[in-house]
Amino acid sequence: MGIVTRDAKPSGTRTQILDAAEAAVLSKGFGATSIDELIAAVGISRSGFFYHFKDKSALAKALLQRYIEEDDKIFDDVLRRADELSEDPLHSYLIALKMLAEIFADLPNGHPGCMVASVCYHEQLFQREVRDLNEQAILNWRRRFRERLDRIAERYPPRVDVDLDDLADMLMAVADGGIILSRTIHDPMALPRQVMLYREFVRLVFSEPVVTATGRPA
Amino acid sequence: MGIVTRDAKPSGTRTQILDAAEAAVLSKGFGATSIDELIAAVGISRSGFFYHFKDKSALAKALLQRYIEEDDKIFDDVLRRADELSEDPLHSYLIALKMLAEIFADLPNGHPGCMVASVCYHEQLFQREVRDLNEQAILNWRRRFRERLDRIAERYPPRVDVDLDDLADMLMAVADGGIILSRTIHDPMALPRQVMLYREFVRLVFSEPVVTATGRPA
DNA sequence: TGTACATCAGTGAACGCGCGTTCACTGATGTAC
DNA sequence: TGTACATCAGTGAACGCGCGTTCACTGATGTAC
């Protein structure tokens, strides 16, 4: 998961390096991203790079750290706004998921890729520290969404026997899988549609189906 | 998605190179996998490699091609065996999904990674040909599962309004996302649990909930 | 059966380029007294 | 206000290693006649 939107860029050289690196890493991988291409994009010398990062793996760590922070902020934002719109935990969660799908749908060139997924497919290139950072990020998202699901389950007893940790994880899985799907088949809307499908699942799990006059469920 | 199980290895040098390359690419990326480490693993000289592959991108193509073929074979197998166990399209699909989850659960060290996802996160490194191969593989899987869902929908009208292409795609998304999840949090069972969750969703979409004596759905 | 040639599956040495990293240095701005 | 020193944000040149690729060559096996 994760978004590009960078609000109020500090625009210092360090940030520019990180921006160039993020785009390059997400489209060709960390090992194939060279320092030379980054400094060319930013317009500094090779040593300028090493002033900001002690070595290439310091760049990796900073990249992932920044990415996780930004994603956290987006989730904070979406969940908070959803809570403002409904006091019911299920409705709030459904609103949040719809907002998330809309954010994904509004990305002009589709989602650029998830840093967590990229790191996962380059494990061996990173130190323990970076891989731990990645693991903690996912467990943190699980905890956060699990909390919501617990509150929902209190009011709406689940109609099927699903593990709520798994259901929380599924959002991350659907998002990361949806990004791969979207990029591979060149359909930017596939990702938001997958998020909406996850939303439908959550709804089916917790709420009774409302059958309309036509016999079709609402 | 995709499995390691290599049945009846030809065990030629070319195959050994592909095996070594697959493991390396899935764990560190294509750009960071060197020809030198592959020939060291196989025990041939550098020129021995170039006898089998005209250049490194020929390796990439062969790697992806082989991976897709193997995955296709696994799906063929699972769907065929499920059809033998039930003539009902929904039950057969649910059986197939359970089998798939079991295959994932039985991998001793967890799923090694999906080649399609790896290629997706290394786009810029590959020629058009390889990226097209990747896209076609996904569209092919969509077509195959969509077919099943159509037959299910005929007999079991969906209880909610979901697009069947999206629902077919979701298996691939959940699998690829589940692989990333599993690897990142070091829980090999997270992937099969995600597949079972997708299975639960399919069941909720198509079949009426059966309420048991305790008031809990079956 | 013997000989000539072809193919298969490589070897070994060399190539030049690009990579990450280091090191001594620099000009502009900030701070202390 | 002037001077000394410190810090910030870099430059430029050089390093050695590892990379993908090429090329001339080779020994074993297969095939034609």
Side-chain angles (χ1 to χ4, degrees), chain B:
Chain B
M1 329 197 243
I3 309 295
V4 246
T5 350
R6 204 86 65 222
D7 26 38
K9 284 197 195 210
S11 168
T13 305
R14 197 190 134 95
T15 304
Q16 280 178 263
I17 296 173
L18 286 171
D19 289 345
E22 184 166 310
V25 167
L26 290 178
S27 72
K28 57 170 38 146
F30 187 76
T33 296
S34 74
I35 292 171
D36 270 38
E37 73 178 288
L38 301 181
I39 64 171
V42 175
I44 53 169
S45 68
R46 236 201 291 292
S47 347
F49 172 88
F50 285 99
Y51 172 75
H52 290 286
F53 302 97
K54 95 174 215 296
D55 56 19
K56 210 189 171 190
S57 79
L59 171 70
K61 195 187 161 192
L63 214 50
L64 182 60
Q65 230 155 13
R66 187 180 75 153
Y67 185 88
I68 292 171
E69 268 170 36
E70 276 169 11
D71 252 27
D72 273 343
K73 202 146 54 63
I74 287 157
F75 286 135
D76 275 344
D77 202 50
V78 162
L79 291 175
R80 192 181 34 72
R81 279 164 52 207
D83 279 341
E84 285 168 10
L85 293 173
S86 172
E87 276 166 21
D88 181 276
L90 177 60
H91 293 163
S92 171
Y93 194 56
L94 295 177
I95 290 169
L97 289 174
K98 184 148 196 188
M99 282 175 173
L100 203 59
E102 275 165 12
I103 290 173
F104 288 149
D106 286 346
L107 294 172
N109 303 312
H111 197 292
C114 171
M115 204 59 210
V116 171
S118 183
V119 167
C120 166
Y121 274 100
H122 294 87
E123 273 183 334
Q124 301 235 138
L125 260 50
F126 303 112
Q127 304 142 306
R128 208 17 175 354
E129 210 185 352
V130 174
R131 291 178 343 226
D132 286 352
L133 208 60
N134 225 23
E135 178 170 4
Q136 285 313 309
I138 290 200
L139 292 177
N140 192 31
W141 290 329
R142 168 193 283 177
R143 190 155 20 80
R144 171 181 236 142
F145 293 115
R146 166 66 195 250
E147 223 171 71
R148 301 252 154 189
L149 294 175
D150 276 335
R151 265 185 285 152
I152 295 171
E154 255 175 53
R155 192 170 309 188
Y156 301 88
R159 292 167 48 220
V160 286
D161 190 24
V162 297
D163 183 277
L164 296 187
D165 270 348
D166 290 340
L167 191 57
D169 285 346
M170 198 188 204
L171 174 55
M172 182 267 152
V174 160
D176 267 334
I179 289 169
I180 292 167
L181 175 70
S182 259
R183 273 176 56 160
T184 304
I185 64 173
H186 306 109
D187 177 2
M189 290 305 128
L191 169 59
R193 288 201 307 268
Q194 288 299 314
V195 173
M196 289 305 280
L197 218 49
Y198 169 74
R199 181 175 180 272
E200 204 58 57
F201 183 29
V202 170
R203 195 147 66 125
L204 274 178
V205 167
F206 292 108
S207 58
E208 295 297 324
V210 180
V211 178
T212 65
T214 64
R216 295 274 310 170

Side-chain angles (χ1 to χ4, degrees), chain A residues 79-94:
Chain A
L79 292 174
R80 191 182 35 71
R81 279 163 52 208
D83 279 340
E84 286 168 10
L85 293 173
S86 172
E87 276 167 20
D88 180 276
L90 177 59
H91 293 163
S92 171
Y93 194 56
L94 295 177

Side-chain angles (χ1 to χ4, degrees), chain A residues 145-165:
Chain A
F145 292 116
R146 166 66 194 249
E147 221 171 72
R148 301 254 154 187
L149 294 175
D150 276 334
R151 266 185 284 150
I152 294 170
E154 257 175 52
R155 191 168 311 185
Y156 302 89
R159 293 168 47 219
V160 287
D161 189 25
V162 296
D163 183 277
L164 295 187
D165 271 348

